[in-house]
Amino acid sequence: MSYEYRSGLGWDSHRTASGRALILGGVTIPSEFGLDGHSDADILLHAITDALLGAAALGDIGMHFSDTDPRWKGAESMQFLLHAKSLLAEKGFELVHLDTTVILEKPKLKDFRTAIRENIAKHLGLSLELVSVKFKTAEKVGPVGEGRSAEAQAVVTVRRKVPEYAGV
């Protein structure tokens, strides 16, 4: 059996905003601020969604869920992720590995790593060992370091079966 392997890269950034929930990987994090956005502004799920779409050359999250469409106002980002997963499955791809990084000055996120990993793994149908979630600060440099924004990055590896060459 032969496989075609592909990688996808995703990135997202949102401004911080008081009066909003901080949601990462579908998990609400206790915080004095959240992230501003048309949907729930879950930068981690947005980055993963873009990585999945990119791996299959299916565009980006904005092509599928416009931030000007009122249907997506306040929407849970998990539905974006599940849509991307479904599109990949239609193309015959399966997710092999996911590696992510959240860049946020505060709050500290280490106590939420397991819950975030478990939630993402559950929704993507992956074992926990295939989902990596890392947390970094920006060392007080730039908009993230100054607490004005947050970022997330994701890299995925996907594969699909390809027919064996039968020869002539």
Side-chain angles (χ1 to χ4, degrees), residues 5-167:
Y5 285 86
R6 294 188 186 186
S7 297
L9 174 66
W11 172 86
D12 196 35
S13 176
H14 284 267
R15 289 181 180 91
T16 57
S18 59
R20 296 231 355 164
L22 178 59
I23 302 169
L24 297 170
V27 175
T28 301
I29 309 296
S31 177
E32 59 195 46
F33 65 87
L35 299 175
D36 192 25
H38 187 66
S39 66
D40 64 6
D42 186 331
I43 55 173
L44 183 53
L45 294 186
H46 292 182
I48 298 168
T49 299
D50 265 349
L52 291 172
L53 293 169
L58 294 170
D60 60 50
I61 195 170
M63 292 173 59
H64 297 265
F65 302 98
S66 171
D67 64 2
T68 60
D69 189 331
R71 289 181 298 167
W72 311 123
K73 180 73 175 161
E76 290 184 12
S77 296
M78 190 59 75
Q79 67 184 312
F80 306 157
L81 181 69
L82 295 176
H83 175 75
K85 176 187 173 194
S86 172
L87 290 176
L88 259 70
E90 288 175 15
K91 298 275 186 185
F93 287 103
E94 65 177 328
L95 183 56
V96 175
H97 182 257
L98 168 63
D99 185 26
T100 67
T101 304
V102 175
I103 306 103
L104 180 67
E105 208 64 25
K106 63 176 187 168
K108 296 297 183 192
L109 300 169
K110 63 182 173 74
D111 293 338
F112 302 96
R113 184 185 328 271
T114 300
I116 292 170
R117 288 179 67 215
E118 287 174 347
N119 195 47
I120 292 169
K122 176 182 78 172
H123 283 89
L124 290 176
L126 295 174
S127 65
L128 195 58
E129 67 187 16
L130 300 177
V131 177
S132 171
V133 176
K134 303 180 303 287
F135 305 120
K136 302 289 183 186
T137 69
E139 301 293 331
K140 303 200 183 306
V141 176
V144 174
E146 294 166 0
R148 296 185 288 125
S149 66
E151 297 181 6
Q153 303 168 351
V155 176
V156 300
T157 303
V158 301
R159 71 180 181 184
R160 68 178 165 187
K161 295 176 186 173
V162 292
E164 293 289 333
Y165 179 69

